[in-house]
Amino acid sequence: MKHIKIIVLNLIALLGCSIMLQAQNNYKNWSDIIRKSDAAWFATPEAQTIAENVLLYQRNIGGWPKNIEMQKPLSEAEKQSLIALKSDLHDITTDNGATCQEMLFLAKMYKQKPDERYKKAFLLGLDYLLEAQYDNGGWPQFYPLKKGYYTHITYNDDSMFHILSILKQIAETSDYNGIPISQDYVAKAKVAFDKGITCIIKTQYKQNGVLTAWCAQHDENTLAPAKARAYELPSLSGKESAKIVLLLMSINNPSPEVITAVKSACTWFEKTKITNLEEKRILNDAGKIIDKKMIPATNASPIWARFMELDNNEPFFSDRDGVKKKSLDEIGGERKNGYAWYTDEPKEPLKKYPSWEKKYAFEKSEKKKAESENVITVAQDGSGDFKLIQDAINATKAFPYENVTIHIKNGTYYEKIRIPEFNNNISLIGESKEKTIITYDDYFGKMNLGRNSTFYTYTMLVEGNDFSASNLTIQNSSGDIGQAVALSIMGDNAYVFNCNILGNQDTLYASGNNSRQYFKDCYIEGTTDFIFGKATVLFENCQIHSLKNSYITAASTPEGTAFGFVFKNCTLTADKNATQVYLGRPWRIYAKTVFIECKMGNHIVPQGWENWSKPEAEKTAFYAEYNCSGEGFKPKERVKWSYQLSKKEAKKYTVENVFSKVQRFF
């Protein structure tokens, strides 16, 4: 009986496996599986089995080959063959939905079953998409590049639409169908998406000076319509242009260029629609198309030709000989029946266009109204709203709901600027970093206000939250005469981009209670403790320049704060007379300062850090470095109480971690 029971159980198990394999084989198309609406299915053993195939087919570079039915069971020999192909760089593509559809499948899998392998494979696919993009914003059909027409910018079969849809979702939500995306990837996705849209705008074809639509392929260098296969001649595409327009219509706050592109394409769709023909398909007993006929009709549902002449929009057709024909009946049965020569896809953007246009018209009027209230220009020659920056700040509303932008024209503004706590949401944008200069010359001795005189010496004081500044020089011009602050930020959520912060001792005071600040692509110079304070600050891609032998930082990070001063990918330079410079010393004993992947000149002393005659700070301060370079990076000679971070430890110093949550500017 026992043996019979075992046999029965084995038969049941085999039957279960057979049913499962049969269920897999019942899926005729891989694309149907990916788009299953039953989310719970992606947690089933059946889905997990298919996911193992998807992981096997992915190449090390991150992409997948096309036209693979991932649901088909693999033998052990086939699995070993796929493992051997991992490093192969041939036939990896986004054509026919490849790579994008596998990424979507893995995201759906991860949402139901958070296997880190799915997330890792998805991110590897994202790396592939980002790497494959041309500098002009387009994507080739195959990457690494495959010789021939495959190098053209490819809209064919909606390839770029699928790529840009992925990047758009990541850039807007920091998530892709359940996979959380780090801010590093979000930033890259935003840049890649914007470049892709720029490419789309530049490739929209002008017919006799009028914008129309797009070709299935465009030359990767000239951006002109290009040929692919013999029967895919340069032309305007009724099919591919539809998805491009839908993508453009999905953009929030579209630029004037995007609006013009959508309007022009929809006008072209209306002009080129065909309402006097219907396609009739003749099928055999197996359901296969054996003939197509275009039948004259009255008020037929609109269709569009796949290929239209560039100069007059006339439909044309072509066999594998590449010779243009005027009707479908003129080409052989293999191409006539095996290719989609007509499409109804432009119906969707045309259906959405009226509401899109209405929404845009409303938003445009509202935006214009808001801009008149929230955009101010400062110009010394009187051509703006104000001649002085402080007057412009004083004229802004207290606690505005929307950001107030103050454009500052080139000039040297000798002003002592204060942005009070009630003037939040202010952005100062200079005309140019080199020629828009805000300067003042207060210093400790001049103020003569007692032991705390330093804090009154600022050229610019920011007390309001949600402040940003870009394309400016902010300077304390008093010279090397003691403490003299150029920029003092006390508010939370501040962003300073592409600015020069110039001074000597105490150039930048980054402080405020729970203040978070982000300096990107800035030049900051000084002598002693020229970056000091208790704020949490990320300095990224900045040049930190020492004017003489002294100390760069003097953090006063409060006890229990997760991060203090964080320098990432910065370059540390110095004047010729500065040969003995410390990375920092603790203004207060819980100081935190970290340098990550920074390049350090030979002016940095081997010991790196100094305790400011506070031996207790050696136990409480946190001074660290990771993977830095340059003559000044001497990790083995640093003071024993500093740290060299591990790769795992360094990974936590991301924008989202440093600032707890994504802020308006981050």
Side-chain angles (χ1 to χ4, degrees):
M1 291 294 292
K2 184 177 181 181
H3 293 298
I4 293 173
K5 186 176 181 181
I6 292 172
I7 290 170
V8 170
L9 290 173
N10 286 337
L11 286 171
I12 291 171
L14 287 170
L15 180 61
C17 290
S18 175
I19 291 170
M20 186 178 77
L21 291 175
Q22 186 177 3
Q24 287 185 22
N25 289 325
N26 282 339
Y27 296 117
K28 292 183 178 180
N29 297 310
W30 168 229
S31 58
D32 294 337
I33 297 175
I34 297 163
R35 289 162 181 80
K36 283 175 71 72
S37 58
D38 180 9
W41 179 85
F42 290 89
T44 65
E46 182 182 5
Q48 292 169 42
T49 299
I50 297 173
E52 294 302 318
N53 290 355
V54 174
L55 295 176
L56 277 172
Y57 274 105
Q58 186 180 30
R59 302 286 175 83
N60 290 338
I61 197 174
W64 282 264
K66 66 177 180 177
N67 301 334
I68 306 295
E69 296 298 332
M70 299 284 177
Q71 73 277 17
K72 290 186 177 180
L74 294 170
S75 68
E76 283 304 314
E78 288 172 324
K79 291 178 181 179
Q80 291 305 312
S81 295
L82 288 174
I83 292 171
L85 278 173
K86 282 287 186 181
S87 59
D88 190 276
L89 297 176
H90 296 89
D91 301 324
I92 310 167
T93 182
T94 55
D95 190 32
N96 289 1
T99 298
C100 292
Q101 58 188 7
E102 282 76 35
M103 291 172 66
L104 175 59
F105 177 81
L106 289 171
K108 289 186 173 185
M109 290 295 303
Y110 184 83
K111 188 171 185 178
Q112 298 301 317
K113 183 178 174 56
D115 187 325
E116 285 301 308
R117 295 179 304 150
Y118 303 156
K119 180 179 178 181
K120 183 179 179 181
F122 174 88
L123 294 176
L124 189 60
L126 181 56
D127 285 331
Y128 171 78
L129 296 181
L130 294 171
E131 183 181 334
Q133 188 178 29
Y134 286 132
D135 289 340
N136 61 23
W139 272 269
Q141 191 177 108
F142 285 81
Y143 185 82
L145 296 177
K146 182 178 178 180
K147 290 183 179 180
Y149 67 83
Y150 309 103
T151 61
H152 293 327
I153 294 168
T154 304
Y155 298 125
N156 193 34
D157 291 328
D158 305 322
S159 175
M160 266 183 62
F161 168 79
H162 294 309
I163 296 170
L164 289 170
S165 296
I166 291 174
L167 296 176
K168 183 175 185 290
Q169 184 172 334
I170 290 171
E172 291 179 350
T173 67
S174 303
D175 176 277
Y176 186 75
N177 291 292
I179 292 185
I181 307 296
S182 73
Q183 285 306 299
D184 287 342
Y185 275 119
V186 170
K188 290 177 182 178
K190 178 68 168 64
V191 170
F193 178 80
D194 289 345
K195 286 172 63 178
I197 297 302
T198 298
C199 178
I200 287 173
I201 298 301
K202 288 183 177 180
T203 50
Q204 189 172 19
Y205 186 74
K206 270 190 176 181
Q207 187 182 86
N208 302 318
V210 178
L211 286 171
T212 57
W214 291 264
C215 183
Q217 297 83 214
H218 287 256
D219 186 275
E220 66 272 24
N221 297 309
T222 67
L223 305 185
K227 176 184 176 182
R229 289 175 287 191
Y231 53 89
E232 294 173 330
L233 302 172
S235 62
L236 293 171
S237 171
K239 180 185 184 301
E240 278 74 17
S241 298
K243 283 292 198 300
I244 292 173
V245 174
L246 287 173
L247 178 70
L248 295 178
M249 292 174 79
S250 72
I251 296 174
N252 293 321
N253 301 315
S255 67
E257 292 80 9
V258 169
I259 292 164
T260 299
V262 171
K263 287 184 175 181
S264 301
C266 286
T267 299
W268 183 82
F269 287 146
E270 285 286 358
K271 182 179 180 179
T272 58
K273 67 183 180 183
I274 300 168
T275 58
N276 61 352
L277 288 176
E278 289 180 341
E279 183 182 87
K280 182 179 180 181
R281 297 182 176 186
I282 301 171
L283 309 178
N284 62 16
D285 293 339
K288 183 179 179 181
I289 299 171
I290 58 174
D291 198 14
K292 289 180 184 176
K293 298 286 186 182
M294 301 307 298
I295 309 298
T298 303
N299 296 323
S301 182
I303 56 174
W304 286 260
R306 180 78 174 261
F307 299 115
M308 299 182 224
E309 294 282 10
L310 293 170
D311 57 351
N312 60 16
N313 304 317
E314 287 187 5
F316 70 84
F317 311 87
S318 180
D319 220 322
R320 292 189 182 274
D321 57 6
V323 178
K324 290 182 181 179
K325 305 293 182 181
K326 289 191 175 183
S327 75
L328 192 59
D329 287 336
E330 294 181 72
I331 64 173
E334 185 268 335
R335 278 298 81 199
K336 179 171 72 169
N337 303 323
Y339 197 74
W341 294 100
Y342 289 94
T343 181
D344 65 354
E345 288 189 34
K347 287 198 301 185
E348 190 174 355
L350 284 180
K351 182 179 179 181
K352 293 183 175 182
Y353 181 74
S355 60
W356 177 88
E357 185 182 36
K358 184 178 180 181
K359 175 186 176 184
Y360 162 70
F362 173 77
E363 288 182 350
K364 184 177 180 181
S365 63
E366 289 297 303
K367 185 176 181 182
K368 188 173 181 180
K369 179 182 176 182
E371 284 181 349
S372 66
E373 298 176 351
N374 296 328
V375 178
I376 300 171
T377 300
V378 177
Q380 290 180 325
D381 62 6
S383 61
D385 301 298
F386 297 93
K387 291 184 177 181
L388 297 176
I389 300 168
Q390 190 65 59
D391 287 348
I393 294 166
N394 294 344
T396 62
K397 291 181 179 179
F399 304 110
Y401 290 110
E402 301 294 333
N403 179 247
V404 178
T405 300
I406 300 176
H407 291 284
I408 307 172
K409 295 290 187 179
N410 285 342
T412 300
Y413 296 82
Y414 181 71
E415 294 189 55
K416 192 177 181 73
I417 305 295
R418 178 180 174 234
I419 300 176
E421 177 262 348
F422 51 81
N423 285 133
N424 61 325
N425 271 321
I426 283 185
S427 294
L428 302 182
I429 303 176
E431 186 175 357
S432 71
K433 177 175 65 174
E434 295 77 15
K435 296 182 179 180
T436 309
I437 302 169
I438 304 171
T439 184
Y440 211 71
D441 54 6
D442 279 344
Y443 58 92
F444 188 97
K446 179 180 177 182
M447 301 308 296
N448 194 27
L449 292 171
R451 64 184 299 169
N452 295 317
S453 293
T454 299
F455 307 107
Y456 298 94
T457 64
Y458 59 83
T459 296
M460 181 184 294
L461 169 63
V462 180
E463 296 171 321
N465 295 339
D466 300 312
F467 164 81
S468 72
S470 58
N471 308 329
L472 294 169
T473 290
I474 303 169
Q475 177 185 34
N476 188 308
S477 56
S478 62
D480 191 8
I481 195 169
Q483 297 97 318
V485 176
L487 176 61
S488 174
I489 299 181
M490 310 289 286
D492 183 33
N493 194 27
Y495 176 43
V496 182
F497 170 71
N498 193 39
C499 287
N500 294 324
I501 316 296
L502 309 181
N504 286 273
Q505 184 173 350
D506 294 350
T507 304
L508 171 61
Y509 182 40
S511 197
N513 293 324
N514 301 313
S515 175
R516 294 160 293 184
Q517 305 171 22
Y518 185 19
F519 288 76
K520 191 172 189 296
D521 299 340
C522 291
Y523 172 87
I524 306 170
E525 71 171 23
T527 57
T528 300
D529 304 333
F530 62 93
I531 299 174
F532 72 115
K534 65 179 181 179
T536 294
V537 190
L538 173 61
F539 300 89
E540 191 167 23
N541 303 330
C542 294
Q543 182 180 351
I544 311 299
H545 189 76
S546 296
L547 297 176
K548 70 177 186 180
N549 294 341
S550 201
Y551 309 88
I552 295 174
T553 67
S556 55
T557 316
E559 182 180 5
T561 303
F563 302 93
F565 293 165
V566 179
F567 296 82
K568 291 187 73 173
N569 299 308
C570 293
T571 303
L572 279 55
T573 58
D575 279 4
K576 290 183 179 179
N577 62 334
T579 58
Q580 297 287 310
V581 176
Y582 289 83
L583 295 172
R585 60 178 181 171
W587 184 20
R588 294 293 180 266
I589 63 171
Y590 294 100
K592 286 188 175 182
T593 303
V594 176
F595 288 84
I596 296 174
E597 296 183 334
C598 294
K599 185 176 181 180
M600 301 179 177
N602 61 6
H603 60 292
I604 301 300
V605 297
Q607 56 269 45
W609 312 91
E610 212 267 349
N611 69 11
W612 207 339
S613 300
K614 301 169 185 173
E616 68 274 25
E618 295 184 9
K619 296 180 181 179
T620 54
F622 185 81
Y623 287 145
E625 300 158 84
Y626 171 73
N627 198 31
C628 293
S629 61
E631 296 179 36
F633 179 54
K634 298 180 179 179
K636 293 182 180 180
E637 299 180 48
R638 293 294 192 246
V639 294
K640 293 181 179 180
W641 47 277
S642 68
Y643 301 88
Q644 295 297 319
L645 300 177
S646 66
K647 185 176 182 179
K648 182 178 180 181
E649 290 170 328
K651 280 185 176 180
K652 72 178 182 179
Y653 289 86
T654 60
V655 173
E656 64 268 28
N657 285 342
V658 172
F659 296 108
S660 300
K661 59 182 179 179
V662 179
Q663 304 297 310
R664 179 164 66 94
F665 301 115
F666 309 145

